Amino acid sequence: MANIHVVNIAARELCFTKAASYLTVSQSAVSHRIKYLELRLIKKDITGL
């Protein structure tokens, strides 16, 4: 499952727990995916890659 898909569902549901239920994963898994994507975006912004 792509990280951007997880973010999309979380944004639509406005709740990590509801997104997790929809995706049939844990709330922690949703949180970790979003955190991972945020860190990647921040790294790209800083390094310009």
Side-chain angles (χ1 to χ4, degrees):
M1 150 179 40
N3 292 330
I4 196 69
H5 179 64
V6 173
V7 171
N8 183 39
I9 299 300
R12 185 181 74 198
E13 296 295 332
L14 299 176
C15 177
F16 285 7
T17 303
K18 288 181 183 178
S21 178
Y22 178 85
L23 295 164
T24 63
V25 298
S26 69
Q27 182 272 338
S28 179
V30 172
S31 179
H32 281 94
R33 292 272 183 144
I34 291 173
K35 182 177 180 180
Y36 173 79
L37 189 57
E38 287 174 340
L39 293 173
R40 295 262 333 233
L41 291 171
I42 289 169
K43 182 178 178 182
K44 282 187 177 184
D45 187 44
I46 291 171
T47 62
L49 298 176

